[in-house]
Amino acid sequence: MWDYSDKVKEHFFSPRNAGALEGANGVGDVGSISCGDALRLMLKVDPESEVIQDASFQTFGCGSAIASSSALTEIIKGKTLDEALKVSNQDIADYLDGLPPEKMHCSVMGREALQAAVANYRGEVWSDDHEEGALVCKCFAVDAVLIEDTIRANKLTTVEEVTNYTKAGGSCAACHEGIEEILIKVLAETGVAFDPTATPAAVEVAPAQMNTLQRIRRIEQVIQAVRPQLQRDHGDIELVDVDGKTVYVNMIGACSGCQMESLTLNGIQQKLMEELGEFIRVVPTRAGSLTRAMGN
Amino acid sequence: METIYLDNNATTRVDPLVVDAMLPYFTEQFGNPSSLHSFGNRVGLALKKARMQVQALLGAAHDTEVIFTSCGTESDSTAILSALRAQPERREIITTVVEHPAILALCEHLEKEGYVIHRLKVDGKGRLDLDEYRGLLSERVAIVSVMWANNETGTYFPVKEMAELAHTAGVMFHTDAVQAVGKIPLELADSKIDMLSASGHKLHAPKGIGVLYLRRGSRFRPLLRGGHQERGRRAGTENSAAIVALGQAAEMALASMEHENTEVRRLRDKLEAGVLAQVSHAFVTGDPDNRLPNTANIAFEYIEGEAILLLLNKFGIAASSGSACTSGSLEPSHVMRAMGIPYTAAHGTVRFSLSRYTTEAEIDRVIEVVPQVVAQLRKLSPYWNDLGPVADPQQAFAPVYA
């Protein structure tokens, strides 16, 4: 069974704003019946102020799809359409204290339902360019279609390059065989044979305009941003060093040795990768691990 | 809260008597059965007894036809790879679209290596077309591998008849009987089945022990080479405690075969009838007249299986589903898709699999809970009104692919 947060379970067992909405003037139907998740989002928008006065949903889907739908309606009620459109899928996941990687698409579906409903209210046609393939990398929720497209667009030839561009394969490595198979297939289209010994092209994936100082400052900002959240739980984090793609941090107080430590670090790693546009590994420093070992 | 376990096709509880039988083999009976001294000899005798207990359950002609392995998957791989290695000139395999991943994933892998895989299709009730099968048998085929009973629907395939046809055509026949062993009489001695896979944890023995039945005289190439264990057909020091446990479990399964096919069947039928009487737009999948006595697979239309399981779990009821979400894949169960079950029903399939420990009170409770759970989720479904499905459901809700 999935490792759902208490918030996900709570929203699944007692969903908010479920059912048809009387007088809805914006409706978005998105999802894929073949994948087993689909959602209808209904909005009641005040034409004067464009404030979402009420929202409700109907969902055909799993526990996290229902919880994501419920969370979405709670988040957007009272917001103007423009404010609501700024809600990202990560916001929905954060509202639920996170979703398992395989389930992140539920939050994506919520965001897309919102876009579709707003487009419907405004009399626009919303079309979706998002194509989903079989999930290859379960650690970072990267699917086959994205990997194929990225290989083609950037002429990638090695697993390491695929990891740098898409994050796929950057954690547990269980999908490296799958990534190799995709590389073999895509490279064959251009008559190239996959060479497992090839060295990755020296590509700087991080935006070129960022120098080392800017990059470290950016990393510091991300770390600073998560501190208040950790401090609330009587913990803290500090940046120790940055060595290439590895960011060393020190987990302090309640965070050190916390059972959720790896979850916290994964979250920070994810945020850093999004912020810097490159693969980053967050490693707790030895000092932290030592305290942990002695604490136990 | 009392918990109700109805997921016995996934795994079973180890019978307390089975645990009792195996425990001494972790402690005082620690010898290596290959050793000459008394420590080893006693364990060797225990393995001999276990082999005969399994032989009796399978209805095999000889105890030496029983090879102990680590699991059903190992038995499947051993059988198919052995047939390919023993007959390198034969490059084709016949199987079905609804096999367990232990067969399907292996065949997919072999396909990449250049073997030709014929996958027999099934109809809406999960039945094979034997004419299609007859047409594929040839001297190019190394092995036929067809499951005895499907793990999701319980539907039987006519493996004995298919083995006769293969035998006549000079083709080896293997069956993955992991779900059937212990539930129905097999009488392998009277069949033309060459190889059969079984797994301990499906019949109240522990996990980590499997069986490959290998008909005497069949050509064979071992998967694991090394010592002379299992007469050189499966090297590696025997998992003696688990083998003894499987022997005990086999004897008990044989003794309760009658119960399985009367009482367990009656409870299963009661469960289905009780649920379907209260829940509309739900149906039994597979071939209801020709299936395992313990399995009920019910499709609940317009709702999704993982959500059903989560709510059932809240009531202490454990079952499983063919929905994509429970397996982490994008597609619902390949078995449901192969039978042409529409997506709106395939994602909502729930498998209840009983055992000889299932009680009448448990079934009554499930019959009481399931309709509530289904109603609760249908209230959230875009395909459902207050009273029933919306008119023309596929038209009324046609989401944009996201």
Side-chain angles (χ1 to χ4, degrees):
Chain A
M1 202 59 82
W2 303 107
D3 188 12
Y4 285 138
S5 73
D6 289 341
K7 199 89 178 272
V8 172
K9 286 186 205 155
E10 206 265 317
H11 272 263
F12 167 64
F13 289 130
S14 325
R16 327 285 198 270
N17 314 308
L21 180 62
E22 285 286 320
N25 52 5
V27 178
D29 291 354
V30 298
S32 160
I33 295 306
S34 66
C35 301
D37 282 318
L39 149 67
R40 165 175 291 165
L41 178 70
M42 290 151 281
L43 305 178
K44 192 152 60 176
V45 182
D46 175 41
E48 287 292 309
S49 59
E50 287 213 326
V51 168
I52 299 171
Q53 295 170 316
D54 204 357
S56 78
F57 74 92
Q58 287 177 306
T59 295
F60 170 87
C62 61
S64 59
I66 289 170
S68 295
S69 308
S70 167
L72 170 69
T73 55
E74 286 288 279
I75 293 171
I76 60 173
K77 273 206 280 185
K79 283 192 159 64
T80 66
L81 293 184
D82 287 335
E83 284 167 356
L85 283 174
K86 291 198 188 100
V87 173
S88 70
N89 75 298
Q90 192 63 46
D91 292 333
I92 299 172
D94 289 348
Y95 185 89
L96 292 167
D97 294 340
L99 287 169
E102 288 91 340
K103 299 292 193 165
M104 281 303 284
H105 68 268
C106 293
S107 62
V108 174
M109 185 170 77
R111 197 186 120 75
E112 288 177 325
L114 177 61
Q115 292 171 328
V118 172
N120 174 264
Y121 169 78
R122 291 178 170 165
E124 298 161 3
V125 177
W126 183 78
S127 69
D128 173 41
D129 54 357
H130 174 101
E131 195 183 345
E132 196 168 12
L135 197 60
V136 176
C137 169
K138 293 193 173 163
C139 299
F140 296 120
V142 185
D143 65 52
V145 173
L146 178 69
I147 295 175
E148 278 184 38
D149 291 348
T150 312
I151 293 171
R152 283 196 198 95
N154 301 285
K155 300 195 170 51
L156 307 183
T157 56
T158 69
V159 174
E160 197 182 333
E161 284 174 340
V162 171
T163 304
N164 287 343
Y165 275 79
T166 65
K167 298 184 237 174
S171 186
C172 75
C175 62
H176 282 198
E177 186 183 350
I179 296 175
E180 276 194 24
E181 280 172 15
I182 297 175
L183 274 166
I184 290 167
K185 192 183 102 184
V186 175
L187 290 177
E189 290 167 4
T190 51
V192 180
F194 170 69
D195 174 11
T197 61
T199 45
V203 184
E204 188 53 62
V205 187
Q209 64 272 26
M210 222 194 293
N211 66 29
T212 310
L213 183 64
Q214 290 166 328
R215 185 163 168 267
I216 289 178
R217 280 202 179 128
R218 190 73 67 87
I219 293 170
E220 218 159 19
Q221 280 166 8
V222 172
I223 303 271
Q224 284 296 339
V226 299
R227 287 185 61 203
Q229 207 181 331
L230 299 181
Q231 284 162 349
R232 267 203 300 281
D233 293 334
H234 309 291
D236 208 343
I237 185 172
E238 65 183 7
L239 180 62
V240 175
D241 198 5
V242 179
D243 180 12
K245 295 184 190 314
T246 310
V247 172
Y248 294 96
V249 296
N250 203 358
M251 302 299 278
I252 303 168
C255 287
S256 169
C258 168
Q259 284 184 336
M260 305 284 280
E261 184 187 294
S262 68
L263 213 69
T264 310
L265 290 175
N266 274 338
I268 295 169
Q269 181 168 305
Q270 186 85 29
K271 280 210 176 74
L272 281 170
M273 286 192 284
E274 278 161 16
E275 198 62 31
L276 299 174
E278 62 181 309
F279 177 72
I280 294 287
R281 190 189 307 276
V282 176
V283 179
T285 54
R286 192 170 295 277
S289 344
L290 266 183
T291 341
R292 190 160 62 244
M294 289 188 303
N296 291 342
Chain B
M1 182 173 53
E2 288 280 310
T3 49
I4 300 173
Y5 185 77
L6 293 182
D7 200 9
N8 287 283
N9 285 12
T11 196
T12 58
R13 65 178 280 199
V14 181
D15 190 290
L17 290 176
V18 171
V19 176
D20 288 347
M22 75 188 293
L23 283 180
Y25 294 86
F26 288 112
T27 52
E28 63 263 32
Q29 304 289 354
F30 63 86
N32 186 327
S34 301
S35 302
L36 185 77
H37 47 63
S38 61
F39 292 90
N41 197 29
R42 282 198 297 269
V43 179
L45 289 173
L47 299 198
K48 193 173 158 62
K49 181 184 169 198
R51 205 178 300 279
M52 288 164 68
Q53 286 165 319
V54 173
Q55 176 202 352
L57 179 65
L58 300 181
H62 311 279
D63 66 344
T64 53
E65 292 175 327
V66 174
I67 302 172
F68 291 112
T69 65
S70 68
C71 58
T73 300
E74 185 193 323
S75 302
D76 287 343
S77 271
T78 305
I80 290 181
L81 295 175
S82 162
L84 295 178
R85 286 182 191 160
Q87 313 162 91
E89 70 289 356
R90 293 179 178 235
R91 306 279 297 172
E92 296 180 16
I93 298 170
I94 301 175
T95 184
T96 79
V97 289
V98 296
E99 294 298 306
H100 187 274
I103 297 290
L104 285 184
L106 174 66
C107 284
E108 237 169 73
H109 181 72
L110 289 167
E111 203 165 32
K112 286 182 197 153
E113 292 185 355
Y115 291 94
V116 176
I117 313 293
H118 304 286
R119 298 175 180 86
L120 299 169
K121 291 182 288 297
V122 295
D123 67 8
K125 286 187 159 186
R127 296 172 301 197
L128 296 172
D129 175 1
L130 287 192
D131 285 334
E132 183 193 7
Y133 171 59
R134 279 190 201 92
L136 288 169
L137 286 168
S138 76
E139 73 278 1
R140 296 185 303 277
V141 176
I143 189 165
V144 178
S145 180
V146 171
M147 67 202 326
W148 198 305
N150 186 270
N151 49 314
E152 293 189 26
T153 62
T155 303
Y156 298 135
F157 282 144
V159 284
K160 287 194 171 171
E161 189 184 344
M162 294 176 84
E164 294 277 351
L165 291 168
H167 183 76
T168 311
V171 177
M172 273 192 201
F173 190 91
H174 165 256
T175 179
D176 177 344
V178 159
Q179 295 294 348
V181 173
K183 295 186 188 121
I184 52 167
L186 303 180
E187 287 143 2
L188 290 183
D190 306 327
S191 79
K192 293 284 189 245
I193 292 168
D194 299 299
M195 291 187 268
L196 172 145
S197 302
S199 174
H201 74 102
K202 308 286 191 193
L203 51 129
H204 306 286
K207 294 150 189 73
I209 185 70
V211 163
L212 176 65
Y213 161 86
L214 176 69
R215 175 174 298 280
R216 179 181 277 188
S218 300
R219 296 181 67 204
F220 184 75
R221 299 289 181 273
L223 184 68
L224 297 184
R225 291 174 192 269
H228 59 262
Q229 295 88 355
E230 301 300 298
R231 298 179 167 230
R233 296 169 301 181
R234 201 280 189 180
T237 301
E238 298 88 342
N239 184 356
S240 37
I243 291 172
V244 168
L246 177 57
Q248 173 71 25
E251 192 177 312
M252 294 173 71
L254 195 56
S256 50
M257 195 76 78
E258 173 74 16
H259 178 85
E260 192 85 33
N261 288 280
T262 52
E263 189 56 16
V264 175
R265 180 187 297 272
R266 183 184 71 78
L267 289 176
R268 188 272 314 269
D269 292 344
K270 179 179 178 179
L271 166 66
E272 277 180 358
V275 167
L276 293 180
Q278 299 176 77
V279 179
S280 72
H281 299 86
F283 57 91
V284 173
T285 70
D287 188 0
D289 303 326
N290 184 38
R291 58 178 169 150
L292 291 172
N294 79 318
T295 308
N297 192 307
I298 305 178
F300 297 100
E301 291 187 83
Y302 308 120
I303 50 177
E304 197 272 345
E306 187 208 281
I308 302 175
L309 294 190
L310 287 172
L311 285 179
L312 285 177
N313 190 51
K314 207 178 154 200
F315 286 98
I317 299 169
S320 68
S321 167
S323 89
C325 271
T326 49
S327 62
S329 67
L330 285 171
E331 279 273 305
S333 142
H334 66 288
V335 178
M336 298 303 144
R337 289 306 296 149
M339 294 192 294
I341 310 252
Y343 284 117
T344 42
H347 283 290
T349 52
V350 176
R351 180 187 68 189
F352 301 97
S353 45
L354 289 64
S355 79
R356 58 177 186 257
Y357 299 102
T358 308
T359 66
E360 186 109 31
E362 289 177 335
I363 294 302
D364 289 339
R365 173 84 179 133
V366 174
I367 293 172
E368 185 192 324
V369 167
V370 168
Q372 300 170 31
V373 164
V374 172
Q376 186 177 336
L377 288 172
R378 280 184 174 164
K379 248 195 257 171
L380 301 179
S381 171
Y383 291 110
W384 203 259
N385 276 331
D386 292 342
L387 299 168
V390 295
D392 196 3
Q394 313 302 335
Q395 201 62 41
F397 183 68
V400 180
Y401 187 3

